[in-house]
Every structure is written in C-alpha cells, then in structure tokens.
C-alpha cells in the first residue's frame, strides 16, 4: 500500500510540474506567429497534421481567451508573460488560422 501511495504521489507531482510556473521567452520584435508557436509552444503542442497547429475547444477559439491562456498559463501550461502586444496578436492570429475547433 505504501508503494502505491508513493507511485501515485509521484504521478500527481509530475502532472502538476507546469502549474504556476512561468517561461521567460521573449519573441523577437519581427517574429511571425508561426515562429513564436514553433519556438515557445511546439515543445508541448506538437503540430497535429499538415497545417493544423492545435485543436481548440469552442471557448478557447477567440483571441481574448488565447491571449489570456498564453499570458497566465493554466494548470499544466506555464505562463508566457513576455508574449504580449503585437507578438500576442500574431501568435493568436496564427493559432486561429491554423487550428481546428472541436
């Protein structure tokens, strides 16, 4: 029973690694949305097929929700507070143009 508790604790901790963390990546001023995605996001969000970057839920398929998620992160996703302004617009435009909504 003790071994099971240790294993479960380990997996719970591993699942929460990104929780509350932040990434200090700052995109170059001229970076395209695709370049920002490739540099900052594709480590965890691998492009799915061809030109589909992500599958977005309906409530995430808008600029404000995406910008908020990028800026603040979420349970497993780190925050990217340095992706803001025009860079955030370019990233969210890229995501909205190259993702499927489910």
């Amino acid at each position: 029973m003790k071994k099971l508790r240790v294993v479960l604790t380990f997996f719970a901790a591993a699942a929460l690694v990104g929780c509350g963390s932040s990434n200090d990546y700052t995109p170059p001023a001229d970076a395209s949305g695709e370049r920002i995605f490739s540099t900052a996001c594709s480590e965890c969000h691998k492009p799915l097929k061809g030109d589909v970057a992500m599958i977005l839920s309906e409530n995430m398929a808008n600029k404000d929700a995406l910008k908020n998620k990028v800026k603040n992160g979420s349970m497993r996703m780190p925050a990217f507070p340095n992706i803001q302004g025009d860079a955030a617009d370019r990233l969210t435009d890229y995501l909205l143009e190259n993702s499927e909504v489910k």
Side-chain angles (χ1 to χ4, degrees):
M1 189 61 137
K2 186 176 181 181
K3 285 183 182 181
L4 178 60
R5 189 176 306 156
V6 169
V7 170
L8 290 175
T9 301
F10 172 77
F11 282 113
L16 296 174
V17 165
C19 183
S21 65
S22 183
N23 187 303
D24 64 353
Y25 167 73
T26 301
D30 63 344
S32 67
E34 182 176 18
R35 181 174 174 197
I36 296 168
F37 178 82
S38 176
T39 304
C41 309
S42 67
E43 183 177 326
C44 297
H45 299 283
K46 305 286 185 217
L48 302 172
K49 57 183 177 184
D51 59 349
V52 177
M54 299 177 71
I55 296 178
L56 302 173
S57 64
E58 281 189 37
N59 63 335
M60 288 303 300
N62 67 74
K63 286 186 89 153
D64 289 335
L66 288 170
K67 283 182 183 182
N68 185 54
K69 183 89 159 196
V70 169
K71 179 181 175 186
N72 299 310
S74 66
M75 189 182 220
R76 292 183 6 207
M77 181 178 146
F80 290 85
N82 298 331
I83 301 176
Q84 52 187 304
D86 290 339
D89 286 331
R90 290 190 301 273
L91 175 59
T92 55
D93 288 344
Y94 171 78
L95 288 172
L96 290 171
E97 292 168 10
N98 295 284
S99 296
E100 291 181 3
V101 178
K102 191 167 190 172

